[in-house]
Each structure stands twice: as structure tokens, then as C-alpha cells.
mmCIF file of all heavy atoms in Angstrom:
data_model
loop_
_atom_site.group_PDB
_atom_site.id
_atom_site.type_symbol
_atom_site.label_atom_id
_atom_site.label_comp_id
_atom_site.label_asym_id
_atom_site.label_seq_id
_atom_site.Cartn_x
_atom_site.Cartn_y
_atom_site.Cartn_z
ATOM 1 N N ALA A 6 -1.551 -7.572 3.073
ATOM 2 C CA ALA A 6 -0.208 -7.786 3.619
ATOM 3 C C ALA A 6 0.283 -6.543 4.356
ATOM 4 O O ALA A 6 0.870 -6.640 5.444
ATOM 5 C CB ALA A 6 0.756 -8.160 2.489
ATOM 6 N N VAL A 7 0.048 -5.368 3.779
ATOM 7 C CA VAL A 7 0.460 -4.121 4.425
ATOM 8 C C VAL A 7 -0.298 -3.929 5.729
ATOM 9 O O VAL A 7 0.288 -3.526 6.757
ATOM 10 C CB VAL A 7 0.248 -2.920 3.481
ATOM 11 C CG1 VAL A 7 0.445 -1.600 4.227
ATOM 12 C CG2 VAL A 7 1.204 -3.002 2.293
ATOM 13 N N LEU A 8 -1.581 -4.226 5.726
ATOM 14 C CA LEU A 8 -2.385 -4.113 6.944
ATOM 15 C C LEU A 8 -1.838 -5.030 8.035
ATOM 16 O O LEU A 8 -1.695 -4.610 9.195
ATOM 17 C CB LEU A 8 -3.840 -4.467 6.639
ATOM 18 C CG LEU A 8 -4.792 -4.514 7.846
ATOM 19 C CD1 LEU A 8 -4.873 -3.142 8.516
ATOM 20 C CD2 LEU A 8 -6.182 -4.977 7.415
ATOM 21 N N GLY A 9 -1.537 -6.263 7.673
ATOM 22 C CA GLY A 9 -1.035 -7.206 8.665
ATOM 23 C C GLY A 9 0.289 -6.769 9.268
ATOM 24 O O GLY A 9 0.475 -6.785 10.499
ATOM 25 N N VAL A 10 1.220 -6.352 8.424
ATOM 26 C CA VAL A 10 2.541 -5.944 8.909
ATOM 27 C C VAL A 10 2.451 -4.639 9.696
ATOM 28 O O VAL A 10 3.043 -4.501 10.779
ATOM 29 C CB VAL A 10 3.526 -5.803 7.731
ATOM 30 C CG1 VAL A 10 4.835 -5.168 8.201
ATOM 31 C CG2 VAL A 10 3.801 -7.156 7.096
ATOM 32 N N ALA A 11 1.719 -3.674 9.157
ATOM 33 C CA ALA A 11 1.662 -2.359 9.784
ATOM 34 C C ALA A 11 0.883 -2.375 11.101
ATOM 35 O O ALA A 11 1.309 -1.753 12.090
ATOM 36 C CB ALA A 11 1.032 -1.349 8.820
ATOM 37 N N HIS A 12 -0.242 -3.078 11.131
ATOM 38 C CA HIS A 12 -1.110 -3.039 12.316
ATOM 39 C C HIS A 12 -0.670 -4.040 13.374
ATOM 40 O O HIS A 12 -0.398 -3.675 14.518
ATOM 41 C CB HIS A 12 -2.552 -3.298 11.906
ATOM 42 C CG HIS A 12 -3.533 -3.176 13.042
ATOM 43 N ND1 HIS A 12 -3.657 -2.028 13.797
ATOM 44 C CD2 HIS A 12 -4.413 -4.072 13.570
ATOM 45 C CE1 HIS A 12 -4.583 -2.207 14.724
ATOM 46 N NE2 HIS A 12 -5.053 -3.442 14.613
ATOM 47 N N TRP A 13 -0.592 -5.311 12.989
ATOM 48 C CA TRP A 13 -0.268 -6.340 13.973
ATOM 49 C C TRP A 13 1.232 -6.545 14.140
ATOM 50 O O TRP A 13 1.669 -7.086 15.153
ATOM 51 C CB TRP A 13 -0.942 -7.652 13.580
ATOM 52 C CG TRP A 13 -2.421 -7.584 13.780
ATOM 53 C CD1 TRP A 13 -3.096 -7.665 14.958
ATOM 54 C CD2 TRP A 13 -3.420 -7.400 12.773
ATOM 55 N NE1 TRP A 13 -4.455 -7.542 14.749
ATOM 56 C CE2 TRP A 13 -4.683 -7.385 13.420
ATOM 57 C CE3 TRP A 13 -3.383 -7.261 11.385
ATOM 58 C CZ2 TRP A 13 -5.884 -7.233 12.722
ATOM 59 C CZ3 TRP A 13 -4.568 -7.104 10.698
ATOM 60 C CH2 TRP A 13 -5.800 -7.092 11.358
ATOM 61 N N GLY A 14 2.016 -6.109 13.168
ATOM 62 C CA GLY A 14 3.464 -6.234 13.292
ATOM 63 C C GLY A 14 4.110 -5.011 13.908
ATOM 64 O O GLY A 14 4.839 -5.101 14.898
ATOM 65 N N ALA A 15 3.831 -3.839 13.324
ATOM 66 C CA ALA A 15 4.462 -2.599 13.798
ATOM 67 C C ALA A 15 3.600 -1.835 14.788
ATOM 68 O O ALA A 15 4.047 -0.837 15.353
ATOM 69 C CB ALA A 15 4.788 -1.702 12.607
ATOM 70 N N GLY A 16 2.358 -2.255 14.982
ATOM 71 C CA GLY A 16 1.488 -1.603 15.956
ATOM 72 C C GLY A 16 0.919 -0.271 15.518
ATOM 73 O O GLY A 16 0.485 0.522 16.354
ATOM 74 N N LEU A 17 0.893 -0.012 14.214
ATOM 75 C CA LEU A 17 0.343 1.243 13.721
ATOM 76 C C LEU A 17 -1.179 1.219 13.785
ATOM 77 O O LEU A 17 -1.817 0.171 13.652
ATOM 78 C CB LEU A 17 0.793 1.502 12.282
ATOM 79 C CG LEU A 17 2.284 1.757 12.049
ATOM 80 C CD1 LEU A 17 2.543 1.985 10.572
ATOM 81 C CD2 LEU A 17 2.771 2.945 12.866
ATOM 82 N N SER A 18 -1.755 2.391 13.942
ATOM 83 C CA SER A 18 -3.216 2.523 13.952
ATOM 84 C C SER A 18 -3.575 3.934 13.515
ATOM 85 O O SER A 18 -2.698 4.770 13.282
ATOM 86 C CB SER A 18 -3.776 2.244 15.354
ATOM 87 O OG SER A 18 -3.246 3.168 16.296
ATOM 88 N N GLY A 19 -4.859 4.190 13.403
ATOM 89 C CA GLY A 19 -5.314 5.534 13.073
ATOM 90 C C GLY A 19 -4.896 5.987 11.686
ATOM 91 O O GLY A 19 -4.848 5.205 10.732
ATOM 92 N N LEU A 20 -4.527 7.258 11.597
ATOM 93 C CA LEU A 20 -4.224 7.876 10.306
ATOM 94 C C LEU A 20 -3.055 7.215 9.563
ATOM 95 O O LEU A 20 -3.195 6.892 8.375
ATOM 96 C CB LEU A 20 -3.955 9.372 10.500
ATOM 97 C CG LEU A 20 -3.650 10.158 9.216
ATOM 98 C CD1 LEU A 20 -4.873 10.204 8.308
ATOM 99 C CD2 LEU A 20 -3.199 11.579 9.562
ATOM 100 N N PRO A 21 -1.904 6.989 10.202
ATOM 101 C CA PRO A 21 -0.801 6.364 9.457
ATOM 102 C C PRO A 21 -1.174 5.010 8.860
ATOM 103 O O PRO A 21 -0.831 4.717 7.704
ATOM 104 C CB PRO A 21 0.307 6.230 10.505
ATOM 105 C CG PRO A 21 -0.007 7.271 11.519
ATOM 106 C CD PRO A 21 -1.504 7.331 11.573
ATOM 107 N N LEU A 22 -1.878 4.196 9.629
ATOM 108 C CA LEU A 22 -2.291 2.881 9.135
ATOM 109 C C LEU A 22 -3.231 3.020 7.952
ATOM 110 O O LEU A 22 -3.084 2.328 6.935
ATOM 111 C CB LEU A 22 -2.980 2.090 10.254
ATOM 112 C CG LEU A 22 -3.528 0.719 9.847
ATOM 113 C CD1 LEU A 22 -2.399 -0.223 9.458
ATOM 114 C CD2 LEU A 22 -4.369 0.129 10.984
ATOM 115 N N ALA A 23 -4.204 3.912 8.058
ATOM 116 C CA ALA A 23 -5.178 4.090 6.985
ATOM 117 C C ALA A 23 -4.500 4.548 5.701
ATOM 118 O O ALA A 23 -4.807 4.057 4.610
ATOM 119 C CB ALA A 23 -6.237 5.110 7.410
ATOM 120 N N VAL A 24 -3.552 5.477 5.805
ATOM 121 C CA VAL A 24 -2.855 5.971 4.610
ATOM 122 C C VAL A 24 -2.071 4.845 3.946
ATOM 123 O O VAL A 24 -2.095 4.698 2.715
ATOM 124 C CB VAL A 24 -1.917 7.141 4.977
ATOM 125 C CG1 VAL A 24 -1.089 7.561 3.766
ATOM 126 C CG2 VAL A 24 -2.725 8.329 5.483
ATOM 127 N N LEU A 25 -1.382 4.025 4.745
ATOM 128 C CA LEU A 25 -0.589 2.934 4.186
ATOM 129 C C LEU A 25 -1.465 1.915 3.467
ATOM 130 O O LEU A 25 -1.139 1.467 2.356
ATOM 131 C CB LEU A 25 0.201 2.231 5.293
ATOM 132 C CG LEU A 25 1.297 3.013 6.009
ATOM 133 C CD1 LEU A 25 2.101 2.077 6.905
ATOM 134 C CD2 LEU A 25 2.225 3.705 5.032
ATOM 135 N N VAL A 26 -2.567 1.540 4.079
ATOM 136 C CA VAL A 26 -3.432 0.505 3.492
ATOM 137 C C VAL A 26 -4.095 1.015 2.216
ATOM 138 O O VAL A 26 -4.156 0.302 1.201
ATOM 139 C CB VAL A 26 -4.493 0.043 4.512
ATOM 140 C CG1 VAL A 26 -5.505 -0.900 3.852
ATOM 141 C CG2 VAL A 26 -3.822 -0.653 5.692
ATOM 142 N N VAL A 27 -4.594 2.231 2.242
ATOM 143 C CA VAL A 27 -5.221 2.784 1.039
ATOM 144 C C VAL A 27 -4.193 2.938 -0.083
ATOM 145 O O VAL A 27 -4.486 2.660 -1.253
ATOM 146 C CB VAL A 27 -5.903 4.133 1.352
ATOM 147 C CG1 VAL A 27 -6.374 4.817 0.068
ATOM 148 C CG2 VAL A 27 -7.099 3.916 2.293
ATOM 149 N N ALA A 28 -2.989 3.352 0.264
ATOM 150 C CA ALA A 28 -1.931 3.455 -0.747
ATOM 151 C C ALA A 28 -1.615 2.090 -1.343
ATOM 152 O O ALA A 28 -1.386 1.959 -2.552
ATOM 153 C CB ALA A 28 -0.669 4.064 -0.131
ATOM 154 N N ALA A 29 -1.612 1.057 -0.510
ATOM 155 C CA ALA A 29 -1.339 -0.293 -0.998
ATOM 156 C C ALA A 29 -2.466 -0.812 -1.888
ATOM 157 O O ALA A 29 -2.237 -1.651 -2.763
ATOM 158 C CB ALA A 29 -1.142 -1.243 0.183
ATOM 159 N N ALA A 30 -3.687 -0.317 -1.675
ATOM 160 C CA ALA A 30 -4.845 -0.776 -2.440
ATOM 161 C C ALA A 30 -5.042 -0.015 -3.746
ATOM 162 O O ALA A 30 -5.978 -0.321 -4.501
ATOM 163 C CB ALA A 30 -6.115 -0.646 -1.592
ATOM 164 N N LEU A 31 -4.185 0.951 -4.028
ATOM 165 C CA LEU A 31 -4.319 1.709 -5.273
ATOM 166 C C LEU A 31 -4.139 0.803 -6.485
ATOM 167 O O LEU A 31 -3.403 -0.186 -6.427
ATOM 168 C CB LEU A 31 -3.280 2.834 -5.316
ATOM 169 C CG LEU A 31 -3.499 3.991 -4.333
ATOM 170 C CD1 LEU A 31 -2.253 4.871 -4.269
ATOM 171 C CD2 LEU A 31 -4.717 4.809 -4.728
ATOM 172 N N PRO A 32 -4.795 1.115 -7.595
ATOM 173 C CA PRO A 32 -4.666 0.277 -8.798
ATOM 174 C C PRO A 32 -3.265 0.321 -9.379
ATOM 175 O O PRO A 32 -2.453 1.183 -9.023
ATOM 176 C CB PRO A 32 -5.691 0.893 -9.757
ATOM 177 C CG PRO A 32 -5.831 2.312 -9.306
ATOM 178 C CD PRO A 32 -5.694 2.265 -7.816
ATOM 179 N N SER A 33 -2.982 -0.604 -10.272
ATOM 180 C CA SER A 33 -1.664 -0.670 -10.911
ATOM 181 C C SER A 33 -1.360 0.642 -11.630
ATOM 182 O O SER A 33 -2.220 1.217 -12.289
ATOM 183 C CB SER A 33 -1.612 -1.828 -11.905
ATOM 184 O OG SER A 33 -1.768 -3.057 -11.239
ATOM 185 N N GLY A 34 -0.127 1.087 -11.505
ATOM 186 C CA GLY A 34 0.279 2.337 -12.125
ATOM 187 C C GLY A 34 0.747 2.149 -13.554
ATOM 188 O O GLY A 34 1.074 1.034 -13.990
ATOM 189 N N SER A 35 0.806 3.253 -14.276
ATOM 190 C CA SER A 35 1.180 3.195 -15.684
ATOM 191 C C SER A 35 2.644 2.807 -15.891
ATOM 192 O O SER A 35 3.044 2.440 -16.992
ATOM 193 C CB SER A 35 0.917 4.556 -16.349
ATOM 194 O OG SER A 35 1.575 5.606 -15.650
ATOM 195 N N ASN A 36 3.453 2.858 -14.836
ATOM 196 C CA ASN A 36 4.834 2.428 -14.966
ATOM 197 C C ASN A 36 4.933 0.953 -15.341
ATOM 198 O O ASN A 36 5.936 0.529 -15.929
ATOM 199 C CB ASN A 36 5.594 2.674 -13.657
ATOM 200 C CG ASN A 36 5.957 4.133 -13.469
ATOM 201 O OD1 ASN A 36 6.589 4.732 -14.310
ATOM 202 N ND2 ASN A 36 5.518 4.715 -12.371
ATOM 203 N N ALA A 37 3.912 0.178 -14.988
ATOM 204 C CA ALA A 37 3.908 -1.229 -15.378
ATOM 205 C C ALA A 37 3.884 -1.358 -16.900
ATOM 206 O O ALA A 37 4.600 -2.186 -17.482
ATOM 207 C CB ALA A 37 2.708 -1.940 -14.763
ATOM 208 N N LEU A 38 3.069 -0.546 -17.545
ATOM 209 C CA LEU A 38 2.992 -0.582 -19.005
ATOM 210 C C LEU A 38 4.290 -0.065 -19.622
ATOM 211 O O LEU A 38 4.765 -0.596 -20.637
ATOM 212 C CB LEU A 38 1.810 0.244 -19.504
ATOM 213 C CG LEU A 38 1.657 0.344 -21.023
ATOM 214 C CD1 LEU A 38 1.557 -1.033 -21.663
ATOM 215 C CD2 LEU A 38 0.434 1.183 -21.386
ATOM 216 N N ILE A 39 4.866 0.956 -19.018
ATOM 217 C CA ILE A 39 6.130 1.473 -19.535
ATOM 218 C C ILE A 39 7.205 0.393 -19.460
ATOM 219 O O ILE A 39 8.023 0.235 -20.369
ATOM 220 C CB ILE A 39 6.556 2.732 -18.750
ATOM 221 C CG1 ILE A 39 5.584 3.885 -19.034
ATOM 222 C CG2 ILE A 39 7.964 3.152 -19.116
ATOM 223 C CD1 ILE A 39 5.898 5.152 -18.279
ATOM 224 N N PHE A 40 7.202 -0.382 -18.373
ATOM 225 C CA PHE A 40 8.148 -1.486 -18.253
ATOM 226 C C PHE A 40 7.894 -2.530 -19.333
ATOM 227 O O PHE A 40 8.832 -3.041 -19.960
ATOM 228 C CB PHE A 40 8.020 -2.134 -16.871
ATOM 229 C CG PHE A 40 9.232 -1.935 -16.006
ATOM 230 C CD1 PHE A 40 9.474 -0.712 -15.412
ATOM 231 C CD2 PHE A 40 10.138 -2.961 -15.808
ATOM 232 C CE1 PHE A 40 10.595 -0.511 -14.624
ATOM 233 C CE2 PHE A 40 11.259 -2.770 -15.019
ATOM 234 C CZ PHE A 40 11.489 -1.554 -14.428
ATOM 235 N N ALA A 41 6.620 -2.871 -19.529
ATOM 236 C CA ALA A 41 6.284 -3.852 -20.560
ATOM 237 C C ALA A 41 6.711 -3.369 -21.939
ATOM 238 O O ALA A 41 7.229 -4.141 -22.754
ATOM 239 C CB ALA A 41 4.781 -4.137 -20.532
ATOM 240 N N GLN A 42 6.497 -2.086 -22.205
ATOM 241 C CA GLN A 42 6.904 -1.509 -23.479
ATOM 242 C C GLN A 42 8.422 -1.498 -23.617
ATOM 243 O O GLN A 42 8.969 -1.760 -24.690
ATOM 244 C CB GLN A 42 6.365 -0.079 -23.607
ATOM 245 C CG GLN A 42 4.867 0.030 -23.769
ATOM 246 C CD GLN A 42 4.434 -0.177 -25.202
ATOM 247 O OE1 GLN A 42 5.227 -0.519 -26.060
ATOM 248 N NE2 GLN A 42 3.161 0.028 -25.474
#
């Protein structure tokens, strides 16, 4: 979804696009467990 919006929607490419997509692909953070707790 981030790739679609950033690349084909906002026209981003290169480094900014790569950083956004990789950040979006990061695994779930521990804050999810803190919320569950």
C-alpha cells in the first residue's frame, strides 16, 4: 500500500521511496504487545 501511494500516487522514487517501503515492511513492534497487556 505504501509503495502504491508513494510511487504511483505521490511520484516518489529512489532513496525516499525505498526508505518508506522498507519501513512499512518492518515486523510488528513490541508496542503491540504492550497494548495487548
Side-chain angles (χ1 to χ4, degrees):
V7 170
L8 175 62
V10 171
H12 184 57
W13 289 283
L17 294 180
S18 60
L20 181 66
L22 177 65
V24 174
L25 294 189
V26 173
V27 171
L31 290 168
S33 296
S35 55
N36 283 305
L38 177 57
I39 293 178
F40 247 75
Q42 291 277 7

